[in-house]
Amino acid sequence: MSTRTKIAALLQSREFGKEFTVKGWVRTFRNNQFIAMNDGSTLNNLQAVVELNSMDESLLKRLTTSASISVTGELCASLGKGQAVELKVKKLEVLGDCDAEKYPLQPKKHSLEFLREKAHLRFRTNTFAAVFKLRHVLAFGIHKFFNERGFVYMHTPIITASDAEGAGEMFKVTTLPFEQTPRNPEGQVDYKEDFFGKATNLTVSGQLEAELGAMAFGEVYTFGPTFRAENSNTARHAAEFWMIEPEVAFNDLDDNMQLAEDMLKYVIRYAMDQCPDELEFLKTRLLEEEKQKPQEERSEMDLIAKLQFCLDNEFQRLTYTEAIEILKNSNPNKKKKFKYLIDKWGADLQSEHERYLVEKHFKKPVILCDYPKEIKAFYMRQNDDGTTVRAMDILFPGIGEIIGGSQREERLDKLETRMNEMHIPASELYWYLDTRRFGTVPHAGFGLGFERLIMFVSGMGNIRDVIPFPRTPKNADF
RNA sequence: UCCCUGAUAGCUCAGCUGGUUAGAGCACAUGACUGUUAAUCAUGGGGUCGCUGGUUCGAGCCCAGCUCGGGGAGCCA
C-alpha cells in the first residue's frame, strides 16, 4: 500500500526536510522545472521542483497539463514568491499520460460555454472545483441545519401517480411500447397495461407527501431530485434539479418565513466558514468578469461582501398589497419603463417588478407574502379577506425567486371548495385530504431551489454551471 | 415557446462597401534560456468560415430555412 499525503495537509505543514509522497494531476509545468500540481484536496496547487538535469528529459516531456503523477521528495521553504512551501522532487513517476495535442483544456481562461460542452473535464478547472465543492458544502450544511433542529429527513417518491398538483409539465414514466401502445375501447392509451397499472410521472414536488410525514414527526424535510418537463430556456431553469422542502406542523406563515430566513443564513454562513479559499477565488473571478461590463451594470458589492451583507440584515418582509403600492408609485412605472405596467391589484408580478423591489428599492433579500388567491396553488391557506392566501416568496438579488412556500389550508371544507373551483379531482387526492380529516393542524412549508442557492453563493450566473451534468431542453449529454 | 443576438484555427477573437493568397494572441511542435507563477524569446505546422439551398462573373460577408450557443421574456424552484 502506498502512503500519500494530501496537498491540503502538505501546504499547511512546516516539517522541512521530511520526505513526502504526493499524487495528483499536473496543472502546468513551467520552465522545465516547476510542476504546479493539484489533487483536489484544496483549490491551491503544490509546487514540485525538479532540479535541472536531475531527471531524464523524456520523462519531463510527459509532464503535460492533466497528466497524473506521483512525486516523492523533501518538503522545503519555497525560494520563489507565490507559495510558502514546495517539494524538492527526488522521485517522479507519470501514472497516466495526457496527450497535450488532444486534451481540450489549456492553462488559460476558458469560456463557461466551452467548458459546459466539456462537462466531463471541467471539474479539473479552478472555477468548477470551487463551485462543486461549494455545492457539496451547501448540501451538507442544509442537512446539518435541519438535523440540529430535530427535523426528520424524508425520502418522497421520484415516480408518482399524482398528476393533480399542477406545479408544471411532467415527464411520463412508462414501459409501454411507443409503437402499438395498448388502447382502451375509447381509443385512449390503456395505462392498465402499463408497469404500475396507471399513468405515472417523475415528481415535480415532494410537498404533498412531506405534509403526510409532518403530521406524525412534526417537522420533516425532503432533499432530492425534481423534474419539470417545461420548455424553459433560461439561465435559472433546468429539467432536473434538486429541491429542499421542509414541512412543519403547528407553524404559521410567520414561523415559516423565519425558518426560511434562518436556514438561508445558516447555510450561507456555513459555506463562508468552510470554503474561504473557494469564495475568494470566485469573488476574484466575478470581479474579472465584471470588468468587461459597463460601469452601471457592475455589482455594488463583491461576492463575499454581498454574502456578509445578506447575513447582517433582516430580510425585508412585506405583503403583496404593499409591494403593488410601491411598484405603482415607482419611477419606472410612472415613466412607463416597465414592460408590464402596474395599474391594478391582482396582477402577477413579473421578473422586472421583482428585480426592482430587490435590487433597486430595498437592495436586500425580500419576502413577499399574502398573494391574491387566483395566482397561487390550491393548497394555500385562505385569509379572512376572502381574496388572498398565506403564500410567501423569497426573492434574492440576481436570482429572483429562490423560495416559494405557504401556510397550508388545514380546514377540510375550505380546501375542498378551493379544489372544486380549480378543477382538481379530490378523489385522486383522498390520501392528502385524509390529513385534514384525521387530526388536522395548522402547518406550513416551503420549497428551496438548491441550484438557485448555489448560484447566489457562488456568483455563477447560469444554472448549467452549478449542476455537474445539467439537463435542459435539447441537452442530456453525459 | 416568443423577441434580440451570435456561430471564422484546439481556445478567445479580428476580418472594411461582396473582389483574387482568411489574420492575431494563446495552445501545440522544434530550438534557446533557466527560480518560474497562465514563464519568456525565436521558428514552424494548423481552416469544409455551423449545415442546406439561393442571389452573383465572384460569397466568410447578401437572402431563406435548419441546427446549436448567448441575452431577455413566459412557466417556476
Side-chain angles (χ1 to χ4, degrees):
Chain A
M1 202 191 92
S2 66
T3 56
R4 76 176 172 106
T5 305
K6 292 203 179 175
I7 289 174
L10 203 58
L11 291 177
Q12 298 302 313
S13 170
R14 293 297 178 267
E15 294 179 89
F16 299 133
K18 198 178 163 191
E19 195 169 280
F20 294 95
T21 295
V22 178
K23 299 182 185 193
W25 293 267
V26 176
R27 282 293 174 80
T28 61
F29 182 41
R30 287 184 294 267
N31 221 346
N32 218 25
Q33 203 181 162
F34 302 99
I35 312 168
M37 62 181 293
N38 190 282
D39 66 358
S41 61
T42 161
L43 212 52
N44 300 311
N45 297 330
L46 173 72
Q47 174 155 288
V49 186
V50 182
E51 218 168 310
L52 282 172
N53 305 319
S54 70
M55 294 275 164
D56 194 10
E57 191 70 21
S58 64
L59 181 65
L60 297 184
K61 278 262 178 277
R62 295 166 67 197
L63 296 178
T64 53
T65 299
S66 235
S68 54
I69 57 172
S70 172
V71 168
T72 303
E74 202 177 280
L75 187 72
C76 41
S78 179
L79 297 171
K81 277 196 178 128
Q83 57 285 315
V85 302
E86 60 191 24
L87 203 66
K88 205 182 278 178
V89 178
K90 283 188 182 154
K91 219 171 85 188
L92 168 68
E93 191 189 347
V94 175
L95 304 173
D97 288 289
C98 184
D99 186 339
E101 206 151 358
K102 292 181 183 146
Y103 184 64
L105 304 188
Q106 302 159 14
K108 64 168 260 187
K109 210 182 197 78
H110 287 290
S111 69
L112 296 174
E113 293 82 11
F114 172 70
L115 291 170
R116 224 171 273 156
E117 289 168 13
K118 310 274 179 257
H120 56 311
L121 301 172
R122 65 179 176 169
F123 301 104
R124 304 179 188 199
T125 65
N126 288 331
T127 299
F128 286 98
V131 167
F132 291 123
K133 175 74 183 296
L134 211 48
R135 185 179 172 107
H136 156 75
V137 165
L138 285 167
F140 197 85
I142 282 162
H143 284 300
K144 197 163 176 290
F145 171 82
F146 285 121
N147 188 55
E148 284 171 8
R149 292 202 172 202
F151 281 63
V152 168
Y153 176 32
M154 180 173 169
H155 290 152
T156 51
I158 308 250
I159 299 172
T160 168
S162 79
D163 59 352
E165 214 244 311
E169 287 298 309
M170 296 172 125
F171 288 103
K172 289 186 170 66
V173 174
T174 182
T175 55
L176 292 176
F178 288 122
E179 320 296 333
Q180 293 192 315
T181 48
R183 303 276 167 169
N184 62 19
E186 287 79 46
Q188 295 157 325
V189 174
D190 186 5
Y191 285 104
K192 287 202 180 73
E193 297 287 315
D194 205 352
F195 188 90
F196 295 106
K198 55 170 77 169
T200 49
N201 302 292
L202 292 179
T203 182
V204 292
S205 164
Q207 180 202 317
L208 300 189
E209 289 90 348
E211 284 189 49
L212 313 181
M215 291 303 108
F217 288 110
E219 33 229 353
V220 301
Y221 72 105
T222 74
F223 189 166
T226 310
F227 307 87
R228 303 273 166 92
E230 239 110 62
N231 190 11
S232 296
N233 292 290
T234 80
R236 43 184 201 287
H237 289 85
E240 177 182 305
F241 63 100
W242 286 61
M243 192 154 63
I244 295 104
E245 294 177 291
E247 196 67 40
V248 183
F250 314 112
N251 264 14
D252 63 16
L253 193 69
D254 291 320
D255 301 324
N256 203 33
M257 291 191 277
Q258 195 58 49
L259 176 68
E261 184 168 344
D262 289 349
M263 179 200 65
L264 287 169
K265 286 180 170 172
Y266 180 98
V267 298
I268 290 169
R269 188 174 290 114
Y270 187 67
M272 290 175 82
D273 288 346
Q274 299 292 309
C275 294
D277 291 349
E278 283 77 7
L279 287 171
E280 188 63 36
F281 178 85
L282 290 167
K283 176 188 102 176
T284 308
R285 196 199 76 85
L286 210 57
L287 288 173
E288 289 294 319
E289 194 180 82
E290 295 211 330
K291 277 183 190 167
Q292 320 278 326
K293 294 186 185 169
Q295 193 78 45
E296 69 268 17
E297 284 176 34
R298 294 183 201 169
S299 324
E300 290 172 34
M301 280 180 265
D302 71 41
L303 180 64
I304 292 173
K306 182 187 81 175
L307 296 177
Q308 191 59 50
F309 179 83
C310 185
L311 296 185
D312 293 342
N313 290 278
E314 296 289 308
F315 293 2
Q316 182 69 43
R317 297 184 192 188
L318 72 161
T319 64
Y320 167 90
T321 306
E322 289 165 338
I324 288 288
E325 279 309 305
I326 290 170
L327 288 167
K328 221 191 265 181
N329 297 318
S330 69
N331 268 329
N333 201 55
K334 286 180 181 164
K335 292 183 179 165
K336 303 196 192 299
K337 288 274 171 61
F338 283 142
K339 198 173 163 206
Y340 298 90
L341 294 175
I342 299 286
D343 51 350
K344 62 176 193 298
W345 191 93
D348 207 351
L349 298 183
Q350 309 291 322
S351 298
E352 58 181 347
H353 306 132
E354 296 180 349
R355 292 186 64 158
Y356 175 81
L357 288 172
V358 174
E359 290 162 26
K360 293 278 181 329
H361 190 83
F362 292 114
K363 298 189 180 201
K364 58 175 170 171
V366 167
I367 312 183
L368 279 175
C369 64
D370 292 321
Y371 282 81
K373 65 178 179 184
E374 279 74 23
I375 58 175
K376 288 293 179 186
F378 74 91
Y379 49 71
M380 296 187 178
R381 193 177 198 280
Q382 295 158 50
N383 280 317
D384 294 339
D385 61 15
T387 54
T388 61
V389 289
R390 300 241 73 192
M392 65 123 177
D393 284 354
I394 301 189
L395 310 176
F396 263 33
I399 312 290
E401 185 178 344
I402 196 167
I403 279 180
S406 67
Q407 185 175 334
R408 318 306 188 189
E409 181 54 82
E410 84 281 11
R411 299 162 296 186
L412 182 64
D413 55 329
K414 299 255 184 201
L415 184 57
E416 282 181 327
T417 305
R418 193 75 189 122
M419 285 171 79
N420 264 329
E421 287 168 6
M422 296 176 76
H423 308 291
I424 288 158
S427 57
E428 282 181 36
L429 287 178
Y430 75 91
W431 47 272
Y432 182 69
L433 292 170
D434 269 1
T435 55
R436 275 65 169 173
R437 291 190 183 104
F438 309 128
T440 190
V441 295
H443 61 290
F446 60 83
L448 165 71
F450 185 50
E451 281 76 15
R452 292 189 182 173
L453 174 66
I454 305 168
M455 287 171 74
F456 179 74
V457 177
S458 68
M460 300 298 282
N462 196 310
I463 197 167
R464 290 156 231 240
D465 295 328
V466 300
I467 188 162
F469 302 104
R471 272 77 180 95
T472 51
K474 301 278 181 285
N475 182 9
D477 289 340
F478 308 103

